[in-house]
Amino acid sequence: LLYFNACGTTNQGTELWRYNGTGMPTEAARIYPNNGSSPEQFAVFDGQLYFSAYDGVHGRELWRYNGTTASLVADIVPGGQYSSSNPNGLTIYNGKLYFSATDEVHGYELWSFDGTTAQMVAEINPTPDPGNGDTFLMDSSPAGFRVFDGLLYFSANDGIHGRELWSFDGTTARLVLDINPGPYGSEVSELTVYNGTLYFSADDGYVPGLSSLEPQVFALTP
């Protein structure tokens, strides 16, 4: 079956829908009646469909659908409808589900879910809360996940090198390339595996305020 989000029922908002190849699609789950849960970031893991959704009670958290019922998997930031971990970039690697999320203590970091428990697996940016509302300074915001040559690759900002290329081996996250040395980073993005090579976009000379972003295509071989 094909799963997707859609607003297909009057006054119900965007929910989880499915299509079996014939006829009209049907609503698979109504998570937030009369408003819509806006499910997104779909990934199939351990025979079930995982995604982030907002049910009006727990904020935007990690959910799954088993073919019949949708259920909340992990309430990473408890405290009500305005407390959200915002799972993003759901990707399968070495038998676990990895994603970016925040517990509102460490900023947006690398998390995993093993089918039972969600946990932060790497605090890439250890910058403490500045206390002035600029909590984005705490975020490594891992993104663009791709599995390549036995490792999980992604872009992240450790608060020192800017946004660069990182990898995770199931235990440790490490900086792979500091393409643009200094605090601004190369703004690595668009990670794509093709013909045994990891390709991505980056700028090796980008300086905010002094130069425009002029990305080039970079390649990483095994």
Side-chain angles (χ1 to χ4, degrees):
L1 299 174
L2 173 68
Y3 287 87
F4 56 96
N5 63 17
C7 182
T9 303
T10 303
N11 299 322
Q12 289 299 327
T14 301
E15 288 290 0
L16 180 65
W17 283 67
R18 66 187 175 197
Y19 179 63
N20 65 6
T22 61
M24 290 293 293
T26 58
E27 189 178 75
R30 186 170 297 177
I31 296 170
Y32 189 10
N34 304 316
N35 289 276
S37 63
S38 297
E40 58 186 34
Q41 306 295 320
F42 299 107
V44 177
F45 170 60
D46 197 24
Q48 299 186 76
L49 180 65
Y50 284 77
F51 53 93
S52 75
Y54 177 78
D55 66 354
V57 177
H58 300 93
R60 179 165 288 278
E61 296 289 354
L62 185 63
W63 284 68
R64 66 184 167 201
Y65 179 75
N66 62 8
T68 304
T69 305
S71 58
L72 178 67
V73 171
D75 188 11
I76 294 173
V77 183
Q81 62 176 320
Y82 302 112
S83 301
S84 300
S85 67
N86 295 311
N88 191 51
L90 279 65
T91 303
I92 313 306
Y93 169 65
N94 273 4
K96 292 184 180 180
L97 178 67
Y98 287 87
F99 53 94
S100 169
T102 178
D103 59 4
E104 295 192 343
V105 175
H106 299 92
Y108 285 90
E109 295 291 353
L110 182 63
W111 283 67
S112 75
F113 180 74
D114 62 4
T116 303
T117 304
Q119 62 178 342
M120 188 178 74
V121 294
E123 185 180 12
I124 296 169
N125 187 344
T127 302
D129 189 337
N132 60 1
D134 292 338
T135 55
F136 67 90
L137 296 173
M138 304 165 58
D139 302 334
S140 71
S141 298
F145 299 106
R146 289 292 182 273
V147 177
F148 172 67
D149 194 31
L151 298 173
L152 179 65
Y153 284 85
F154 53 93
S155 68
N157 184 345
D158 64 357
I160 298 173
H161 300 92
R163 181 162 292 278
E164 294 288 0
L165 183 65
W166 284 71
S167 71
F168 183 75
D169 63 4
T171 303
T172 305
R174 69 178 184 90
L175 178 65
V176 177
L177 294 170
D178 188 10
I179 296 171
N180 183 22
Y184 300 115
S186 63
E187 294 299 319
V188 170
S189 64
E190 307 298 337
L191 279 69
T192 303
V193 177
Y194 170 68
N195 202 25
T197 300
L198 177 65
Y199 293 91
F200 55 93
S201 168
D203 187 336
D204 59 4
Y206 177 58
V207 179
L210 298 179
S211 65
S212 59
L213 190 63
E214 297 180 355
Q216 303 175 61
V217 177
F218 285 74
L220 180 69
T221 56

